[in-house]
Amino acid sequence: MERDSWLGVELRHFAALEAVGRARSFGRAARELGYTQSAVSQQVAQLERAVGQPLVERPGGPRPVDLTDAGRLLLRHADAIVAQLDAAHANMDAFAEGAAGPLRVGIFQSVGARILPGLLRRFKQDWPRVEVNVREETDAADLLRLLEHGELDLTFADLPLPEGPFESDEVLRDPYVLIVAADSELATRDSAPPLREVSGLPLIGWRSTGEPETYLRGRVPELNVVFRTDDNGTLMSLVAEGLGSAVVPLLVVNPRNPALVALPLGGRLPPRVLGIVWHRDRYHSAASDAFVELARELGAEYMNSR
């Protein structure tokens, strides 16, 4: 009987609970959802009866309502259920469209500059009727969330991946380098100085990416980050003007930029492992599989050409 009561749970019940928790008011939640206040109250009450737990604290009067611990716990499961529903919807669209439909791919800036152009050129030769839609984000977590919700078919991401409904193939191993201005004293070296000599060196860092700074903080005393940006072009320009150096994956560096010198760090930092990722529970078109295979081939060519 306990399990049977859960069969009455509907997505509209979860939507009502989420709106009440966010708005902290049945009235505001009702206006947002386009329901009457009594309808929202009934939906939350039905959900409470189905799960057998109070989900909303109702203090009465003008005081705002709030979710109980049970309500917050249930809402976390509801988010996962909605994500699965979004993925199922995307599955049906992909199945109906076949080889002529869109392929939605998530990328980083460095992938867009160095890997994507050649990848798209080769892919279009074999799949001329597939439209590749590219979505660029700075944070890998944003790309993976879009993939989980069915808004992307594939995405590039750093490996290993966080827990989730993901599968991946490795594309390349991208070593970190220290980039300095071409007129810097360090530019005459064949490789980057030991990490202890990086201590106090003015560095340009990323704002939202933890690596490699997290690794360096455990090994470089007095790590001196003087500026942060999430734009690779801005980072390179600041280094070229002598305002600091930067530790970046080699893929980020434009080898044709004479204002910069990339000094290898060797084995002092583990390389960034770049992968291409898909949702393990979703339908994979032949075009998607071909895109993954081409990405692997280009990654191997890039590594052999370094």
Side-chain angles (χ1 to χ4, degrees):
M1 291 298 294
E2 232 178 83
R3 183 176 178 183
D4 288 346
S5 69
W6 280 76
L7 296 178
V9 174
E10 301 178 16
L11 287 175
R12 64 190 177 94
H13 297 147
F14 289 140
L17 181 66
E18 190 276 335
V20 169
R22 182 163 33 80
R24 304 195 69 190
S25 160
F26 282 93
R28 286 194 295 271
R31 288 192 294 273
E32 180 182 313
L33 295 172
Y35 295 152
T36 64
Q37 181 171 334
S38 62
V40 172
S41 296
Q42 288 172 11
Q43 289 169 10
V44 172
Q46 288 169 1
L47 185 58
E48 288 177 319
R49 286 195 296 273
V51 303
Q53 293 286 339
L55 303 175
V56 176
E57 294 176 354
R58 302 167 174 83
R63 289 178 294 174
V65 301
D66 199 4
L67 298 186
T68 64
D69 289 342
R72 283 186 282 271
L73 176 62
L74 183 62
L75 205 55
R76 288 203 297 271
H77 288 285
D79 289 340
I81 291 168
V82 172
Q84 285 288 326
L85 187 66
D86 290 342
H89 186 190
N91 263 355
M92 294 299 100
D93 288 345
F95 186 80
E97 288 159 358
L103 182 64
R104 301 158 302 170
V105 181
I107 64 166
F108 300 131
Q109 292 178 64
S110 56
V111 171
R114 303 291 304 283
I115 297 292
L116 189 67
L119 180 55
L120 290 180
R121 177 177 54 80
R122 294 193 193 182
F123 183 76
K124 282 296 185 182
Q125 291 173 357
D126 296 330
W127 300 86
R129 296 179 61 221
V130 174
E131 178 186 357
V132 180
N133 299 324
V134 178
R135 172 77 173 260
E136 181 183 294
E137 296 288 345
T138 301
D139 193 339
D142 292 333
L143 292 171
L144 291 173
R145 185 176 63 254
L146 291 169
L147 180 67
E148 183 173 2
H149 283 262
E151 295 180 50
L152 291 175
D153 302 301
L154 299 167
T155 188
F156 288 88
D158 292 343
L159 304 181
L161 297 171
E163 185 177 348
F166 309 122
E167 290 184 353
S168 65
D169 272 349
E170 182 178 315
V171 173
L172 60 86
R173 292 183 174 247
D174 195 14
Y176 283 97
V177 295
L178 178 71
I179 54 170
V180 299
D183 58 1
S184 165
E185 291 182 4
L186 291 173
T188 60
R189 292 177 176 244
D190 293 327
S191 62
L195 291 182
R196 64 178 179 275
E197 294 184 27
V198 176
S199 178
L201 190 70
L203 293 176
I204 314 298
W206 278 297
R207 204 168 38 188
S208 61
T209 304
E211 299 298 341
E213 188 173 324
T214 302
Y215 187 89
L216 291 173
R217 283 201 179 279
R219 292 158 179 81
V220 178
E222 299 180 24
L223 194 68
N224 182 24
V225 179
V226 296
F227 191 85
R228 296 185 185 278
T229 178
D230 279 334
D231 184 84
N232 288 350
T234 299
L235 184 146
M236 297 297 162
S237 297
L238 291 170
V239 173
E241 291 297 329
L243 298 175
S245 303
V247 177
V248 299
L250 183 59
L251 195 66
V252 171
V253 183
N254 181 355
R256 294 185 292 274
N257 187 345
L260 298 173
V261 173
L263 302 174
L265 281 158
R268 282 167 277 181
L269 268 73
R272 174 177 72 155
V273 182
L274 182 67
I276 189 163
V277 190
W278 58 92
H279 196 298
R280 66 166 175 252
D281 298 326
R282 286 190 53 205
Y283 166 75
H284 304 144
S285 68
S288 174
D289 293 340
F291 194 92
V292 170
E293 183 59 32
L294 272 175
R296 292 175 59 191
E297 290 177 10
L298 273 175
E301 290 176 15
Y302 170 80
M303 293 179 67
N304 292 333
S305 67
R306 290 200 307 245

